[in-house]
Amino acid sequence: MNVLLIGSGGREHALAWALAKSPRLSRLFVAPGNPGTAALATNVALDISDHRALIDFCRNAGIDLVVVGPEAPLVAGIVDALADARIRAFGPSKAAAALEGSKGFAKDFCREFAIPTAAYARFSGEASAKAHLQAKGAPIVVKADGLAAGKGVIVAASTEEAEAAVTSLFASGLGQAGIVIEEFLEGEEASFFALCDGERALAFGSAQDHKRVGEGDTGPNTGGMGAYSPAPVVTQAVDERIMAEIIVPTLAGMARRGTPYRGVLYAGLMLTTAGPKLIEYNVRFGDPECQVLMLRLEDDLLALLGACCDSMLPAGPIRFDQRAALTVVMAAKNYPAEPETGTEIRRLDEAAKLDDVTIFQAGTKRQGERLLAAGGRVLGVSALGGSVAEAKARAYAAVDLIDWPGGFCRRDIGWRAIEREKR
Ligand code: AMP
Ligand code: GLY
């Protein structure tokens, strides 16, 4: 099979790495890809928002399957455009991608199908939103309705902070599509992934990430500074509840609405004393969560993704390495504000030779023989181990071999799981 993978992050390097292991793969193209994917596939410069050009490329290259990494093209309807041209694509349709594309839609959907989530109300104006805040008090959570690249959620400790969030969402335009105000949920967060074929879902494992830039989970939010899988807090019993109470009803609800969900469904969850509750849906793999999932996956990724498109998911379960995987993200200095790019990264090959270590690239670029930082999150230094603590030790051993004065990482990735392992 010839495959076109769309995206350029650590997630896509990890997907390319897993796809490249499939005996079914003939040629792999990545658009636009990065220097990491270039070692496994052919990178192609394609404007993927130009659906006509994308379809022409697929026809000329004899593409049998398109795999879409990030959410923006899914929400823009890339899978529908490809389907109209009879090109198979892994990922939800535009209508199904609204689960991530609109928080208001997702909340109304949860209410309609009794999927456990935080209580909420939707607002299109500032005055009514503020009146609601006064009535509810803090802590409380304020969210922009549409995609906001991680800038649309404010967890407010006081009513004043929440009011300021409402003012700024409307003033900045992020609140243009409306806002959602919801109950603050207490508990431990975890991510859960399921592969879906429109009718059936198969569990694809759990993970936890570290969103804050600083050690001890402090400082501004980022795309994710590290992750591990499985999440020890997601025991077999919790796993079964998530499938039965959240994933299966989501698939059933989307099918009932006439917009069946195909692709990977990523549920961001709060594990509360009353059980797992949905914080948000994502319609794609998480990054860096995808990196740890791909390290552990033993089944053929290409076969599984194709089966999702064809409503042919096997009976399951999907096979995973039972060991733990952990990714440490190395970012360019001054990420997430204004990362300093252009700095040189050395000794990557040496670090990648360590046992059970794989290094995924994200914001990198080649300049002749040199590898340079070209984005905020630059490397995903990933390792397998008998425990999260062992995977962590291996990942940091690799980090310490990499010669990159222009980068930094957190030193405490996995702390929550490691504390749990010590009990
Ligand atoms: P989201 O972009 O919806 O994932 O929200 C970003 C982060 O805000 C989540 O990972 C949580 O840490 C936090 N958050 C979102 N909604 C809630 C909520 N209802 N209660 C507590 N924390 C929340
Ligand atoms: N790491 C969080 C995300 O991909 O949304």
Side-chain angles (χ1 to χ4, degrees):
M1 258 200 270
N2 293 332
V3 177
L4 171 65
L5 170 64
I6 289 173
S8 64
R11 166 179 50 213
E12 286 75 25
H13 187 182
L15 289 171
W17 177 83
L19 289 169
K21 292 195 283 189
S22 172
R24 295 164 201 240
L25 184 75
S26 315
R27 292 202 67 187
L28 178 61
F29 299 88
V30 191
N34 64 36
T37 64
L40 300 160
T42 306
N43 285 350
V44 285
L46 258 182
D47 172 8
I48 51 133
S49 64
D50 181 348
H51 292 168
R52 192 67 254 158
L54 173 67
I55 289 163
D56 286 345
F57 174 84
C58 290
R59 293 212 169 114
N60 291 334
I63 297 296
D64 303 292
L65 177 69
V66 178
V67 178
V68 186
E71 63 276 18
L74 293 167
V75 172
I78 194 171
V79 169
D80 310 64
L82 290 166
D84 287 346
R86 302 188 174 280
I87 298 165
R88 222 156 55 122
F90 174 81
S93 66
K94 181 176 181 162
L99 285 177
E100 177 167 358
S102 164
K103 296 208 189 277
F105 171 81
K107 297 299 287 190
D108 290 350
F109 175 85
C110 287
R111 181 179 279 169
E112 186 178 351
F113 295 99
I115 292 161
T117 186
Y120 75 103
R122 299 177 69 172
F123 300 93
S124 54
E126 214 170 310
S128 54
K130 287 185 177 169
H132 181 78
L133 288 176
Q134 286 303 333
K136 290 286 175 190
I140 195 153
V141 184
V142 180
K143 302 185 174 185
D145 188 291
L147 288 185
K151 296 186 185 77
V153 176
I154 300 95
V155 179
S158 66
T159 320
E160 294 70 45
E161 197 186 333
E163 286 200 357
V166 168
T167 308
S168 96
L169 285 182
F170 281 109
S172 68
L174 281 177
Q176 208 169 21
I179 64 170
V180 172
I181 296 181
E182 64 179 49
E183 168 200 11
F184 173 79
L185 297 173
E186 262 177 276
E188 187 168 336
E189 277 184 69
S191 304
F192 191 88
F193 299 84
L195 289 187
C196 306
D197 73 358
E199 289 157 29
R200 295 184 46 248
L202 278 181
F204 201 79
S206 63
Q208 279 176 307
D209 71 349
H210 295 265
K211 289 205 169 90
R212 305 299 193 98
V213 76
E215 272 150 36
D217 296 328
T218 55
N221 261 324
T222 70
M225 294 301 291
Y228 47 90
S229 171
V233 66
V234 181
T235 57
Q236 185 64 29
V238 174
D239 186 297
E240 283 166 16
R241 278 192 79 170
I242 296 167
M243 282 302 285
E245 295 170 22
I246 296 175
I247 305 294
V248 170
T250 300
L251 272 245
M254 291 304 275
R256 267 259 293 284
R257 290 177 57 95
T259 54
Y261 191 91
R262 292 192 187 83
V264 59
L265 185 62
Y266 156 8
L269 303 166
M270 191 69 86
L271 305 176
T272 73
T273 48
K277 292 196 180 185
L278 184 83
I279 298 175
E280 59 161 0
Y281 289 112
N282 295 295
V283 299
R284 42 148 181 111
F285 283 108
D287 195 10
E289 293 89 332
C290 186
Q291 304 179 38
V292 283
L293 293 174
M294 291 307 133
L295 271 193
R296 293 185 52 232
L297 178 66
E298 288 178 341
D299 278 335
D300 181 335
L301 180 67
L302 181 50
L304 286 169
L305 301 188
C308 289
C309 300
D310 302 338
S311 300
M312 297 274 283
L313 266 182
I318 297 171
R319 286 184 306 129
F320 285 96
D321 191 322
Q322 291 308 303
R323 289 179 296 169
L326 181 141
T327 294
V328 176
V329 169
M330 295 187 78
K333 274 191 183 153
N334 211 24
Y335 173 76
E338 275 186 48
E340 293 166 23
T341 57
T343 54
E344 185 172 359
I345 303 158
R346 295 191 193 88
R347 296 177 67 189
L348 210 54
D349 293 343
E350 221 171 298
K353 278 188 199 130
L354 294 186
D355 281 346
D356 287 320
V357 166
T358 307
I359 299 175
F360 297 113
Q361 298 187 32
T364 57
K365 85 171 178 208
R366 280 244 169 250
Q367 194 175 76
E369 287 297 296
R370 305 195 316 151
L371 187 68
L372 306 180
R377 294 188 295 167
V378 174
L379 302 171
V381 182
S382 309
L384 284 162
S387 60
V388 176
E390 193 176 292
K392 176 185 176 186
R394 287 189 179 146
Y396 281 109
V399 164
D400 290 337
L401 283 179
I402 296 170
D403 177 9
W404 180 30
F408 75 97
C409 65
R410 278 179 60 166
R411 301 294 313 190
D412 64 344
I413 300 306
W415 68 268
R416 210 184 286 276
I418 291 166
E419 268 178 19
R420 207 172 274 276
E421 283 176 345
K422 284 189 196 143
R423 281 184 208 159

